[in-house]
Amino acid sequence: MIKENIQKVKKIIGDSCIRSKRKPEDVTLIAVSKTKPVFMLREAYEAGCRHFGENKVQELVSKYEEMPKDIHWHMIGHLQTNKVKYIVDKVYLIHSVDSLKLAQEISRQAEKKNIVVSVLIEVNVAGEETKFGIAPEEAETIIRDMAALPGILIRGLMTIAPYTDNPEDNRQYFTRLKQLSVDIAEKNIDNVNMDVLSMGMTGDYAVAIEEGAAFVRIGTGIFGEREYVI
Ligand SMILES: *Cc1c(COP(=O)(O)O)cnc(C)c1O
């Protein structure tokens, strides 16, 4: 089932690329495997997935240890500063940097290990109170402050659009994130790249790709519904 789901998702990615005259290789599919058991991740791996997304530090670390080493791990969930040290050397990209304090801690831990960690700045473009992420108006200032940190490389922006049944509702947020990245790129801030946009989930990734997503984060569309045990 997972294999077929991945094929379906890839077909939709391909179709969105054709519609928007983009190259399929410029869009990376992240299989969001949070809450799912390792055997399901293996199935996705067998089907060709090499990018996995997790939102909890402990879960990412334990899956990192169990799964093959050629996987690129993406931290996509809210990250507490005291847990940064467990993942800095295991993640390919941290999508959820939402404060200067967090960026400073990532940089500090990266320096200790002599690495530079790629990060995205999470922006709350829809202004939802329940969501993490910095306000679009604050983005430039905070990115300027982060740019000087030696242990991180800012690669672009990430957003989580509101939950909706109609993906077209979210197009406005994707275009806003894209525009914000263009505006910031024009400032030519040292050590800051704006070439990566992480946007689009199961409900809206086709639209996100049309608006310029480089990473789409798909959970339900690959692994099925999540069951949360509280
Ligand atoms: C869970 C999650 C996803 C995947 O959501 P689906 O709707 O299941 O595709 C994507 N991004 C983030 C940040 C998530 O937490």
Side-chain angles (χ1 to χ4, degrees):
M1 180 197 79
I2 289 172
K3 191 177 174 192
E4 287 75 20
N5 288 346
I6 290 169
Q7 281 163 354
K8 275 184 217 156
V9 168
K10 286 198 169 154
K11 170 83 170 80
I12 292 172
I13 292 174
D15 291 347
S16 305
C17 285
I18 291 169
R19 273 198 304 280
S20 50
K21 301 191 167 60
R22 300 189 57 201
K23 290 187 246 143
E25 59 267 31
D26 292 342
V27 180
T28 299
L29 168 62
I30 301 174
V32 175
S33 47
K34 62 189 188 197
T35 79
K36 297 298 177 184
V38 166
F39 81 85
M40 289 184 123
L41 279 72
R42 285 196 205 284
E43 218 175 307
Y45 181 89
E46 294 302 327
C49 280
R50 292 297 179 271
H51 291 261
F52 288 82
E54 289 286 338
N55 68 342
K56 294 217 160 61
V57 166
Q58 228 177 359
E59 199 174 338
L60 190 151
V61 170
S62 76
K63 286 173 175 171
Y64 172 92
E65 274 153 16
E66 284 190 66
M67 293 289 293
K69 286 294 163 278
D70 62 341
I71 290 173
H72 298 303
W73 292 95
H74 296 257
M75 178 62 194
I76 61 171
H78 182 62
L79 182 55
Q80 287 169 295
T81 48
N82 60 340
K83 294 190 176 161
V84 167
K85 56 178 176 287
Y86 303 117
I87 60 159
V88 270
D89 56 347
K90 298 182 177 64
V91 286
Y92 173 76
L93 183 63
I94 299 176
H95 294 232
S96 42
V97 175
D98 57 3
S99 71
L100 181 58
K101 197 175 112 215
L102 176 59
Q104 285 165 334
E105 178 61 9
I106 296 169
S107 179
R108 200 170 74 86
Q109 295 296 341
E111 276 197 284
K112 274 195 194 174
K113 298 198 159 80
N114 253 313
I115 54 176
V116 174
V117 178
S118 290
V119 304
L120 304 178
I121 310 307
E122 181 173 352
V123 183
N124 186 355
V125 264
E128 288 182 288
E129 279 185 21
T130 52
K131 296 255 167 77
F132 290 104
I134 60 173
E137 312 81 64
E138 296 169 353
E140 187 189 332
T141 311
I142 205 163
I143 286 170
R144 281 187 189 281
D145 290 339
M146 291 175 183
L149 298 168
I152 63 168
L153 178 60
I154 299 174
R155 304 271 322 274
L157 306 176
M158 176 270 220
T159 199
I160 305 174
Y163 181 81
T164 172
D165 289 329
N166 179 9
E168 284 299 331
D169 293 346
N170 283 342
R171 190 180 293 276
Q172 54 177 321
Y173 303 120
F174 301 142
T175 54
R176 255 188 253 175
L177 193 72
K178 168 82 189 177
Q179 189 56 51
L180 184 62
S181 80
V182 169
D183 292 345
I184 294 171
E186 281 173 359
K187 313 282 170 166
N188 284 316
I189 307 166
D190 274 355
N191 206 31
V192 173
N193 296 319
M194 277 291 134
D195 36 41
V196 172
L197 294 175
S198 168
M199 56 188 196
M201 304 172 29
T202 298
D204 56 23
Y205 65 99
V207 173
I209 291 167
E210 289 168 15
E211 300 306 328
F215 287 102
V216 290
R217 312 178 305 264
I218 316 290
T220 314
I222 292 176
F223 298 106
E225 296 287 340
R226 285 176 295 273
E227 287 175 43
Y228 285 99
V229 183
I230 300 164

